[in-house]
PDB file of all heavy atoms in Angstrom:
ATOM      1  N   VAL B   2     -70.426  53.564  22.960  1.00  0.00           N
ATOM      2  CA  VAL B   2     -70.686  52.358  22.169  1.00  0.00           C
ATOM      3  C   VAL B   2     -69.537  51.382  22.369  1.00  0.00           C
ATOM      4  O   VAL B   2     -68.382  51.781  22.248  1.00  0.00           O
ATOM      5  CB  VAL B   2     -70.824  52.695  20.673  1.00  0.00           C
ATOM      6  CG1 VAL B   2     -71.091  51.440  19.877  1.00  0.00           C
ATOM      7  CG2 VAL B   2     -71.907  53.725  20.481  1.00  0.00           C
ATOM      8  N   TYR B   7     -68.302  48.351  16.508  1.00  0.00           N
ATOM      9  CA  TYR B   7     -67.599  48.811  15.299  1.00  0.00           C
ATOM     10  C   TYR B   7     -66.963  47.624  14.587  1.00  0.00           C
ATOM     11  O   TYR B   7     -67.069  47.463  13.372  1.00  0.00           O
ATOM     12  CB  TYR B   7     -66.523  49.824  15.688  1.00  0.00           C
ATOM     13  CG  TYR B   7     -67.069  51.140  16.185  1.00  0.00           C
ATOM     14  CD1 TYR B   7     -67.141  51.424  17.540  1.00  0.00           C
ATOM     15  CD2 TYR B   7     -67.523  52.092  15.289  1.00  0.00           C
ATOM     16  CE1 TYR B   7     -67.640  52.622  18.001  1.00  0.00           C
ATOM     17  CE2 TYR B   7     -68.014  53.304  15.744  1.00  0.00           C
ATOM     18  CZ  TYR B   7     -68.066  53.561  17.099  1.00  0.00           C
ATOM     19  OH  TYR B   7     -68.566  54.749  17.551  1.00  0.00           O
ATOM     20  N   GLY B  21     -70.130  39.734  -2.321  1.00  0.00           N
ATOM     21  CA  GLY B  21     -70.314  40.424  -3.598  1.00  0.00           C
ATOM     22  C   GLY B  21     -69.384  39.858  -4.653  1.00  0.00           C
ATOM     23  O   GLY B  21     -69.790  39.548  -5.776  1.00  0.00           O
ATOM     24  N   LYS B  25     -71.661  38.532  -7.732  1.00  0.00           N
ATOM     25  CA  LYS B  25     -71.884  39.507  -8.807  1.00  0.00           C
ATOM     26  C   LYS B  25     -71.231  39.013 -10.085  1.00  0.00           C
ATOM     27  O   LYS B  25     -70.205  38.309 -10.061  1.00  0.00           O
ATOM     28  CB  LYS B  25     -71.322  40.873  -8.431  1.00  0.00           C
ATOM     29  CG  LYS B  25     -71.935  41.467  -7.179  1.00  0.00           C
ATOM     30  CD  LYS B  25     -73.445  41.517  -7.255  1.00  0.00           C
ATOM     31  CE  LYS B  25     -73.908  42.677  -8.146  1.00  0.00           C
ATOM     32  NZ  LYS B  25     -75.380  42.783  -8.105  1.00  0.00           N
ATOM     33  N   ARG B  26     -71.859  39.354 -11.224  1.00  0.00           N
ATOM     34  CA  ARG B  26     -71.324  38.921 -12.518  1.00  0.00           C
ATOM     35  C   ARG B  26     -70.528  40.029 -13.182  1.00  0.00           C
ATOM     36  O   ARG B  26     -69.606  39.779 -13.909  1.00  0.00           O
ATOM     37  CB  ARG B  26     -72.462  38.506 -13.448  1.00  0.00           C
ATOM     38  CG  ARG B  26     -73.446  37.544 -12.856  1.00  0.00           C
ATOM     39  CD  ARG B  26     -72.774  36.197 -12.601  1.00  0.00           C
ATOM     40  NE  ARG B  26     -73.744  35.119 -12.469  1.00  0.00           N
ATOM     41  CZ  ARG B  26     -74.469  34.916 -11.374  1.00  0.00           C
ATOM     42  NH1 ARG B  26     -74.341  35.727 -10.354  1.00  0.00           N
ATOM     43  NH2 ARG B  26     -75.335  33.920 -11.317  1.00  0.00           N
ATOM     44  N   ASN B  27     -70.910  41.283 -12.904  1.00  0.00           N
ATOM     45  CA  ASN B  27     -70.290  42.387 -13.603  1.00  0.00           C
ATOM     46  C   ASN B  27     -68.928  42.689 -12.994  1.00  0.00           C
ATOM     47  O   ASN B  27     -68.797  42.883 -11.783  1.00  0.00           O
ATOM     48  CB  ASN B  27     -71.194  43.620 -13.501  1.00  0.00           C
ATOM     49  CG  ASN B  27     -70.650  44.730 -14.376  1.00  0.00           C
ATOM     50  OD1 ASN B  27     -69.457  44.985 -14.351  1.00  0.00           O
ATOM     51  ND2 ASN B  27     -71.514  45.375 -15.128  1.00  0.00           N
ATOM     52  N   GLU B  36     -63.555  46.959  -3.016  1.00  0.00           N
ATOM     53  CA  GLU B  36     -63.429  48.214  -2.275  1.00  0.00           C
ATOM     54  C   GLU B  36     -64.197  48.125  -0.967  1.00  0.00           C
ATOM     55  O   GLU B  36     -63.740  48.579   0.088  1.00  0.00           O
ATOM     56  CB  GLU B  36     -63.980  49.369  -3.118  1.00  0.00           C
ATOM     57  CG  GLU B  36     -63.226  49.607  -4.411  1.00  0.00           C
ATOM     58  CD  GLU B  36     -61.818  50.084  -4.151  1.00  0.00           C
ATOM     59  OE1 GLU B  36     -61.570  50.632  -3.057  1.00  0.00           O
ATOM     60  OE2 GLU B  36     -60.943  49.884  -5.020  1.00  0.00           O
ATOM     61  N   ASN B  40     -62.841  48.780   2.793  1.00  0.00           N
ATOM     62  CA  ASN B  40     -63.469  49.700   3.746  1.00  0.00           C
ATOM     63  C   ASN B  40     -63.731  49.010   5.070  1.00  0.00           C
ATOM     64  O   ASN B  40     -63.491  49.565   6.145  1.00  0.00           O
ATOM     65  CB  ASN B  40     -64.755  50.246   3.165  1.00  0.00           C
ATOM     66  CG  ASN B  40     -64.454  51.411   2.239  1.00  0.00           C
ATOM     67  OD1 ASN B  40     -64.005  52.444   2.680  1.00  0.00           O
ATOM     68  ND2 ASN B  40     -64.631  51.176   0.944  1.00  0.00           N
ATOM     69  N   ASN B  43     -60.630  48.983   6.873  1.00  0.00           N
ATOM     70  CA  ASN B  43     -60.315  50.317   7.387  1.00  0.00           C
ATOM     71  C   ASN B  43     -61.044  50.593   8.690  1.00  0.00           C
ATOM     72  O   ASN B  43     -60.460  51.041   9.669  1.00  0.00           O
ATOM     73  CB  ASN B  43     -60.727  51.368   6.359  1.00  0.00           C
ATOM     74  CG  ASN B  43     -59.769  51.377   5.189  1.00  0.00           C
ATOM     75  OD1 ASN B  43     -58.716  50.743   5.275  1.00  0.00           O
ATOM     76  ND2 ASN B  43     -60.136  52.039   4.124  1.00  0.00           N
ATOM     77  N   GLN B  52     -59.026  51.973  20.282  1.00  0.00           N
ATOM     78  CA  GLN B  52     -58.852  51.124  21.471  1.00  0.00           C
ATOM     79  C   GLN B  52     -57.454  51.286  22.043  1.00  0.00           C
ATOM     80  O   GLN B  52     -57.269  51.475  23.234  1.00  0.00           O
ATOM     81  CB  GLN B  52     -59.116  49.667  21.111  1.00  0.00           C
ATOM     82  CG  GLN B  52     -58.846  48.725  22.256  1.00  0.00           C
ATOM     83  CD  GLN B  52     -58.671  47.294  21.762  1.00  0.00           C
ATOM     84  OE1 GLN B  52     -59.041  46.961  20.649  1.00  0.00           O
ATOM     85  NE2 GLN B  52     -58.102  46.470  22.630  1.00  0.00           N
ATOM     86  N   SER B  57     -51.208  55.086  14.703  1.00  0.00           N
ATOM     87  CA  SER B  57     -50.677  54.325  13.554  1.00  0.00           C
ATOM     88  C   SER B  57     -51.813  53.662  12.797  1.00  0.00           C
ATOM     89  O   SER B  57     -51.768  53.536  11.571  1.00  0.00           O
ATOM     90  CB  SER B  57     -49.692  53.281  14.071  1.00  0.00           C
ATOM     91  OG  SER B  57     -50.310  52.536  15.104  1.00  0.00           O
ATOM     92  N   GLN B  59     -54.788  54.836  12.214  1.00  0.00           N
ATOM     93  CA  GLN B  59     -55.397  55.789  11.274  1.00  0.00           C
ATOM     94  C   GLN B  59     -54.475  56.032  10.091  1.00  0.00           C
ATOM     95  O   GLN B  59     -54.918  56.133   8.946  1.00  0.00           O
ATOM     96  CB  GLN B  59     -55.674  57.099  12.016  1.00  0.00           C
ATOM     97  CG  GLN B  59     -56.627  56.899  13.172  1.00  0.00           C
ATOM     98  CD  GLN B  59     -57.130  58.204  13.712  1.00  0.00           C
ATOM     99  OE1 GLN B  59     -56.801  59.272  13.215  1.00  0.00           O
ATOM    100  NE2 GLN B  59     -57.956  58.132  14.737  1.00  0.00           N
ATOM    101  N   MET B  66     -55.976  53.840   1.655  1.00  0.00           N
ATOM    102  CA  MET B  66     -56.728  54.603   0.652  1.00  0.00           C
ATOM    103  C   MET B  66     -55.877  54.886  -0.557  1.00  0.00           C
ATOM    104  O   MET B  66     -56.316  54.757  -1.706  1.00  0.00           O
ATOM    105  CB  MET B  66     -57.224  55.895   1.276  1.00  0.00           C
ATOM    106  CG  MET B  66     -58.390  55.657   2.218  1.00  0.00           C
ATOM    107  SD  MET B  66     -59.002  57.185   2.871  1.00  0.00           S
ATOM    108  CE  MET B  66     -60.205  56.566   4.020  1.00  0.00           C
ATOM    109  N   ALA B  69     -55.788  51.861  -2.504  1.00  0.00           N
ATOM    110  CA  ALA B  69     -57.075  51.654  -3.161  1.00  0.00           C
ATOM    111  C   ALA B  69     -57.166  52.506  -4.409  1.00  0.00           C
ATOM    112  O   ALA B  69     -57.564  52.044  -5.475  1.00  0.00           O
ATOM    113  CB  ALA B  69     -58.194  52.001  -2.192  1.00  0.00           C
ATOM    114  N   ARG B  85     -62.039  45.707 -24.310  1.00  0.00           N
ATOM    115  CA  ARG B  85     -61.665  45.895 -25.723  1.00  0.00           C
ATOM    116  C   ARG B  85     -61.562  44.546 -26.430  1.00  0.00           C
ATOM    117  O   ARG B  85     -62.045  44.357 -27.531  1.00  0.00           O
ATOM    118  CB  ARG B  85     -60.325  46.605 -25.782  1.00  0.00           C
ATOM    119  CG  ARG B  85     -60.411  48.084 -25.462  1.00  0.00           C
ATOM    120  CD  ARG B  85     -59.596  48.886 -26.448  1.00  0.00           C
ATOM    121  NE  ARG B  85     -59.666  50.318 -26.105  1.00  0.00           N
ATOM    122  CZ  ARG B  85     -58.821  50.877 -25.261  1.00  0.00           C
ATOM    123  NH1 ARG B  85     -57.867  50.159 -24.706  1.00  0.00           N
ATOM    124  NH2 ARG B  85     -58.925  52.163 -24.979  1.00  0.00           N
ATOM    125  N   ASN B  91     -68.985  40.567 -18.310  1.00  0.00           N
ATOM    126  CA  ASN B  91     -69.478  39.474 -17.492  1.00  0.00           C
ATOM    127  C   ASN B  91     -68.340  38.491 -17.223  1.00  0.00           C
ATOM    128  O   ASN B  91     -67.789  37.895 -18.152  1.00  0.00           O
ATOM    129  CB  ASN B  91     -70.614  38.764 -18.231  1.00  0.00           C
ATOM    130  CG  ASN B  91     -71.219  37.687 -17.368  1.00  0.00           C
ATOM    131  OD1 ASN B  91     -70.591  37.235 -16.431  1.00  0.00           O
ATOM    132  ND2 ASN B  91     -72.438  37.310 -17.689  1.00  0.00           N
ATOM    133  N   ASP B  93     -68.341  35.586 -16.121  1.00  0.00           N
ATOM    134  CA  ASP B  93     -68.580  34.216 -16.554  1.00  0.00           C
ATOM    135  C   ASP B  93     -68.214  34.027 -18.014  1.00  0.00           C
ATOM    136  O   ASP B  93     -68.014  32.911 -18.470  1.00  0.00           O
ATOM    137  CB  ASP B  93     -70.073  33.870 -16.336  1.00  0.00           C
ATOM    138  CG  ASP B  93     -70.360  33.780 -14.858  1.00  0.00           C
ATOM    139  OD1 ASP B  93     -69.378  33.889 -14.089  1.00  0.00           O
ATOM    140  OD2 ASP B  93     -71.527  33.636 -14.472  1.00  0.00           O
ATOM    141  N   ARG B  94     -68.116  35.118 -18.752  1.00  0.00           N
ATOM    142  CA  ARG B  94     -67.754  34.996 -20.172  1.00  0.00           C
ATOM    143  C   ARG B  94     -66.255  35.131 -20.367  1.00  0.00           C
ATOM    144  O   ARG B  94     -65.757  34.979 -21.483  1.00  0.00           O
ATOM    145  CB  ARG B  94     -68.488  36.043 -20.995  1.00  0.00           C
ATOM    146  CG  ARG B  94     -70.001  35.939 -20.892  1.00  0.00           C
ATOM    147  CD  ARG B  94     -70.686  36.516 -22.110  1.00  0.00           C
ATOM    148  NE  ARG B  94     -72.141  36.403 -21.981  1.00  0.00           N
ATOM    149  CZ  ARG B  94     -72.776  35.222 -22.047  1.00  0.00           C
ATOM    150  NH1 ARG B  94     -72.094  34.123 -22.237  1.00  0.00           N
ATOM    151  NH2 ARG B  94     -74.102  35.174 -21.910  1.00  0.00           N
TER     152      ARG B  94
ATOM    153  N   HIS D   3     -74.695  59.227  20.885  1.00  0.00           N
ATOM    154  CA  HIS D   3     -73.581  58.523  20.256  1.00  0.00           C
ATOM    155  C   HIS D   3     -74.047  57.203  19.679  1.00  0.00           C
ATOM    156  O   HIS D   3     -73.917  56.917  18.491  1.00  0.00           O
ATOM    157  CB  HIS D   3     -72.482  58.304  21.324  1.00  0.00           C
ATOM    158  CG  HIS D   3     -71.269  57.646  20.769  1.00  0.00           C
ATOM    159  ND1 HIS D   3     -70.217  57.283  21.549  1.00  0.00           N
ATOM    160  CD2 HIS D   3     -70.951  57.303  19.519  1.00  0.00           C
ATOM    161  CE1 HIS D   3     -69.311  56.716  20.795  1.00  0.00           C
ATOM    162  NE2 HIS D   3     -69.726  56.727  19.542  1.00  0.00           N
ATOM    163  N   LEU D  22     -75.074  44.589  -3.338  1.00  0.00           N
ATOM    164  CA  LEU D  22     -75.205  43.213  -3.828  1.00  0.00           C
ATOM    165  C   LEU D  22     -76.518  43.027  -4.554  1.00  0.00           C
ATOM    166  O   LEU D  22     -76.588  42.337  -5.571  1.00  0.00           O
ATOM    167  CB  LEU D  22     -75.142  42.227  -2.659  1.00  0.00           C
ATOM    168  CG  LEU D  22     -73.916  42.313  -1.748  1.00  0.00           C
ATOM    169  CD1 LEU D  22     -73.893  41.146  -0.793  1.00  0.00           C
ATOM    170  CD2 LEU D  22     -72.651  42.342  -2.569  1.00  0.00           C
ATOM    171  N   GLN D  24     -78.499  45.210  -6.221  1.00  0.00           N
ATOM    172  CA  GLN D  24     -78.736  45.927  -7.472  1.00  0.00           C
ATOM    173  C   GLN D  24     -78.185  45.148  -8.659  1.00  0.00           C
ATOM    174  O   GLN D  24     -77.153  44.492  -8.559  1.00  0.00           O
ATOM    175  CB  GLN D  24     -78.104  47.317  -7.407  1.00  0.00           C
ATOM    176  CG  GLN D  24     -78.842  48.272  -6.517  1.00  0.00           C
ATOM    177  CD  GLN D  24     -80.290  48.438  -6.946  1.00  0.00           C
ATOM    178  OE1 GLN D  24     -80.602  48.284  -8.116  1.00  0.00           O
ATOM    179  NE2 GLN D  24     -81.182  48.710  -6.003  1.00  0.00           N
ATOM    180  N   PRO D  27     -74.786  48.264 -12.571  1.00  0.00           N
ATOM    181  CA  PRO D  27     -73.568  48.737 -11.908  1.00  0.00           C
ATOM    182  C   PRO D  27     -73.713  50.124 -11.325  1.00  0.00           C
ATOM    183  O   PRO D  27     -73.258  50.372 -10.188  1.00  0.00           O
ATOM    184  CB  PRO D  27     -72.529  48.720 -13.028  1.00  0.00           C
ATOM    185  CG  PRO D  27     -73.131  48.049 -14.166  1.00  0.00           C
ATOM    186  CD  PRO D  27     -74.558  47.761 -13.913  1.00  0.00           C
ATOM    187  N   TYR D  45     -66.230  57.135  11.262  1.00  0.00           N
ATOM    188  CA  TYR D  45     -64.872  57.599  11.573  1.00  0.00           C
ATOM    189  C   TYR D  45     -64.946  58.808  12.486  1.00  0.00           C
ATOM    190  O   TYR D  45     -64.244  58.891  13.507  1.00  0.00           O
ATOM    191  CB  TYR D  45     -64.130  57.946  10.280  1.00  0.00           C
ATOM    192  CG  TYR D  45     -63.792  56.741   9.424  1.00  0.00           C
ATOM    193  CD1 TYR D  45     -63.666  56.845   8.051  1.00  0.00           C
ATOM    194  CD2 TYR D  45     -63.615  55.493  10.001  1.00  0.00           C
ATOM    195  CE1 TYR D  45     -63.366  55.760   7.262  1.00  0.00           C
ATOM    196  CE2 TYR D  45     -63.320  54.396   9.223  1.00  0.00           C
ATOM    197  CZ  TYR D  45     -63.196  54.520   7.859  1.00  0.00           C
ATOM    198  OH  TYR D  45     -62.916  53.437   7.087  1.00  0.00           O
ATOM    199  N   ALA D  50     -61.622  60.112  14.278  1.00  0.00           N
ATOM    200  CA  ALA D  50     -60.592  60.189  13.240  1.00  0.00           C
ATOM    201  C   ALA D  50     -61.014  61.190  12.194  1.00  0.00           C
ATOM    202  O   ALA D  50     -61.537  60.844  11.128  1.00  0.00           O
ATOM    203  CB  ALA D  50     -60.394  58.805  12.613  1.00  0.00           C
ATOM    204  N   GLN D  57     -61.650  60.081   3.534  1.00  0.00           N
ATOM    205  CA  GLN D  57     -62.631  59.072   3.111  1.00  0.00           C
ATOM    206  C   GLN D  57     -63.612  59.726   2.162  1.00  0.00           C
ATOM    207  O   GLN D  57     -63.892  59.204   1.088  1.00  0.00           O
ATOM    208  CB  GLN D  57     -63.364  58.540   4.344  1.00  0.00           C
ATOM    209  CG  GLN D  57     -64.555  57.660   4.036  1.00  0.00           C
ATOM    210  CD  GLN D  57     -64.135  56.216   3.770  1.00  0.00           C
ATOM    211  OE1 GLN D  57     -62.968  55.873   3.906  1.00  0.00           O
ATOM    212  NE2 GLN D  57     -65.088  55.407   3.336  1.00  0.00           N
ATOM    213  N   TYR D  61     -62.097  58.633  -1.379  1.00  0.00           N
ATOM    214  CA  TYR D  61     -62.967  57.511  -1.735  1.00  0.00           C
ATOM    215  C   TYR D  61     -64.226  57.979  -2.432  1.00  0.00           C
ATOM    216  O   TYR D  61     -64.377  57.833  -3.647  1.00  0.00           O
ATOM    217  CB  TYR D  61     -63.340  56.749  -0.463  1.00  0.00           C
ATOM    218  CG  TYR D  61     -62.646  55.403  -0.366  1.00  0.00           C
ATOM    219  CD1 TYR D  61     -62.003  54.996   0.767  1.00  0.00           C
ATOM    220  CD2 TYR D  61     -62.663  54.559  -1.458  1.00  0.00           C
ATOM    221  CE1 TYR D  61     -61.375  53.770   0.844  1.00  0.00           C
ATOM    222  CE2 TYR D  61     -62.029  53.333  -1.393  1.00  0.00           C
ATOM    223  CZ  TYR D  61     -61.398  52.941  -0.244  1.00  0.00           C
ATOM    224  OH  TYR D  61     -60.779  51.743  -0.190  1.00  0.00           O
ATOM    225  N   GLU D  81     -76.546  43.565 -15.574  1.00  0.00           N
ATOM    226  CA  GLU D  81     -75.737  42.344 -15.664  1.00  0.00           C
ATOM    227  C   GLU D  81     -76.670  41.159 -15.870  1.00  0.00           C
ATOM    228  O   GLU D  81     -77.744  41.071 -15.264  1.00  0.00           O
ATOM    229  CB  GLU D  81     -74.909  42.163 -14.411  1.00  0.00           C
ATOM    230  CG  GLU D  81     -75.692  41.769 -13.163  1.00  0.00           C
ATOM    231  CD  GLU D  81     -74.773  41.546 -11.994  1.00  0.00           C
ATOM    232  OE1 GLU D  81     -73.559  41.610 -12.193  1.00  0.00           O
ATOM    233  OE2 GLU D  81     -75.282  41.331 -10.895  1.00  0.00           O
ATOM    234  N   GLU D  82     -76.297  40.308 -16.813  1.00  0.00           N
ATOM    235  CA  GLU D  82     -77.188  39.163 -17.105  1.00  0.00           C
ATOM    236  C   GLU D  82     -76.919  38.056 -16.092  1.00  0.00           C
ATOM    237  O   GLU D  82     -75.834  37.940 -15.575  1.00  0.00           O
ATOM    238  CB  GLU D  82     -76.915  38.656 -18.523  1.00  0.00           C
ATOM    239  CG  GLU D  82     -75.627  37.883 -18.647  1.00  0.00           C
ATOM    240  CD  GLU D  82     -74.787  38.394 -19.804  1.00  0.00           C
ATOM    241  OE1 GLU D  82     -75.010  37.944 -20.915  1.00  0.00           O
ATOM    242  OE2 GLU D  82     -73.938  39.258 -19.557  1.00  0.00           O
ATOM    243  N   THR D  84     -75.952  34.809 -15.522  1.00  0.00           N
ATOM    244  CA  THR D  84     -75.364  33.600 -16.114  1.00  0.00           C
ATOM    245  C   THR D  84     -75.030  32.616 -14.992  1.00  0.00           C
ATOM    246  O   THR D  84     -74.613  33.017 -13.913  1.00  0.00           O
ATOM    247  CB  THR D  84     -74.073  33.956 -16.872  1.00  0.00           C
ATOM    248  OG1 THR D  84     -73.316  34.846 -16.054  1.00  0.00           O
ATOM    249  CG2 THR D  84     -74.384  34.631 -18.179  1.00  0.00           C
ATOM    250  N   GLY D  86     -72.539  30.844 -14.278  1.00  0.00           N
ATOM    251  CA  GLY D  86     -71.135  30.563 -14.595  1.00  0.00           C
ATOM    252  C   GLY D  86     -70.528  29.586 -13.619  1.00  0.00           C
ATOM    253  O   GLY D  86     -69.781  28.698 -13.993  1.00  0.00           O
ATOM    254  N   VAL D  98     -67.875  31.905   3.171  1.00  0.00           N
ATOM    255  CA  VAL D  98     -67.907  33.279   3.684  1.00  0.00           C
ATOM    256  C   VAL D  98     -68.654  33.324   5.002  1.00  0.00           C
ATOM    257  O   VAL D  98     -68.176  33.834   6.013  1.00  0.00           O
ATOM    258  CB  VAL D  98     -68.619  34.197   2.662  1.00  0.00           C
ATOM    259  CG1 VAL D  98     -68.684  35.604   3.208  1.00  0.00           C
ATOM    260  CG2 VAL D  98     -67.921  34.148   1.340  1.00  0.00           C
ATOM    261  N   PRO D 114     -61.067  42.514  23.844  1.00  0.00           N
ATOM    262  CA  PRO D 114     -61.326  43.604  24.809  1.00  0.00           C
ATOM    263  C   PRO D 114     -62.431  44.510  24.287  1.00  0.00           C
ATOM    264  O   PRO D 114     -62.272  45.169  23.263  1.00  0.00           O
ATOM    265  CB  PRO D 114     -59.993  44.335  24.887  1.00  0.00           C
ATOM    266  CG  PRO D 114     -59.285  43.967  23.613  1.00  0.00           C
ATOM    267  CD  PRO D 114     -59.709  42.565  23.333  1.00  0.00           C
ATOM    268  N   VAL D 118     -66.060  52.888  23.988  1.00  0.00           N
ATOM    269  CA  VAL D 118     -65.247  54.059  23.679  1.00  0.00           C
ATOM    270  C   VAL D 118     -66.152  55.276  23.549  1.00  0.00           C
ATOM    271  O   VAL D 118     -67.229  55.192  22.959  1.00  0.00           O
ATOM    272  CB  VAL D 118     -64.440  53.842  22.385  1.00  0.00           C
ATOM    273  CG1 VAL D 118     -63.353  52.823  22.596  1.00  0.00           C
ATOM    274  CG2 VAL D 118     -65.383  53.411  21.272  1.00  0.00           C
ATOM    275  N   GLY D 125     -57.675  62.154  15.823  1.00  0.00           N
ATOM    276  CA  GLY D 125     -56.627  62.074  14.801  1.00  0.00           C
ATOM    277  C   GLY D 125     -56.577  63.371  14.038  1.00  0.00           C
ATOM    278  O   GLY D 125     -57.063  63.498  12.919  1.00  0.00           O
ATOM    279  N   TYR D 138     -43.402  57.579   9.615  1.00  0.00           N
ATOM    280  CA  TYR D 138     -43.933  56.973   8.397  1.00  0.00           C
ATOM    281  C   TYR D 138     -43.410  57.666   7.157  1.00  0.00           C
ATOM    282  O   TYR D 138     -44.039  57.636   6.112  1.00  0.00           O
ATOM    283  CB  TYR D 138     -45.459  56.957   8.445  1.00  0.00           C
ATOM    284  CG  TYR D 138     -45.961  56.043   9.525  1.00  0.00           C
ATOM    285  CD1 TYR D 138     -46.211  56.490  10.805  1.00  0.00           C
ATOM    286  CD2 TYR D 138     -46.126  54.685   9.248  1.00  0.00           C
ATOM    287  CE1 TYR D 138     -46.623  55.638  11.792  1.00  0.00           C
ATOM    288  CE2 TYR D 138     -46.546  53.816  10.237  1.00  0.00           C
ATOM    289  CZ  TYR D 138     -46.791  54.286  11.517  1.00  0.00           C
ATOM    290  OH  TYR D 138     -47.200  53.420  12.494  1.00  0.00           O
ATOM    291  N   ALA D 160     -54.740  51.168 -20.761  1.00  0.00           N
ATOM    292  CA  ALA D 160     -55.972  51.796 -21.218  1.00  0.00           C
ATOM    293  C   ALA D 160     -55.801  52.469 -22.563  1.00  0.00           C
ATOM    294  O   ALA D 160     -56.759  52.611 -23.321  1.00  0.00           O
ATOM    295  CB  ALA D 160     -56.428  52.819 -20.184  1.00  0.00           C
ATOM    296  N   HIS D 162     -55.470  53.277 -26.271  1.00  0.00           N
ATOM    297  CA  HIS D 162     -55.992  52.472 -27.363  1.00  0.00           C
ATOM    298  C   HIS D 162     -54.850  52.026 -28.264  1.00  0.00           C
ATOM    299  O   HIS D 162     -54.018  52.829 -28.647  1.00  0.00           O
ATOM    300  CB  HIS D 162     -57.034  53.257 -28.171  1.00  0.00           C
ATOM    301  CG  HIS D 162     -57.857  52.348 -29.026  1.00  0.00           C
ATOM    302  ND1 HIS D 162     -57.374  51.741 -30.141  1.00  0.00           N
ATOM    303  CD2 HIS D 162     -59.143  51.911 -28.892  1.00  0.00           C
ATOM    304  CE1 HIS D 162     -58.300  50.995 -30.685  1.00  0.00           C
ATOM    305  NE2 HIS D 162     -59.389  51.080 -29.937  1.00  0.00           N
TER     306      HIS D 162
END
Side-chain angles (χ1 to χ4, degrees):
Chain B
V2 180
Y7 291 100
K25 300 306 283 185
R26 310 293 200 283
N27 187 315
E36 297 294 337
N40 278 293
N43 286 349
Q52 175 199 343
S57 51
Q59 299 192 2
M66 286 183 185
R85 285 225 181 88
N91 184 340
D93 291 355
R94 301 205 180 290
Chain D
H3 183 184
L22 305 189
Q24 287 302 332
Y45 291 152
Q57 171 83 5
Y61 252 132
E81 72 177 355
E82 74 230 274
T84 44
V98 179
V118 290
Y138 294 91
H162 197 288

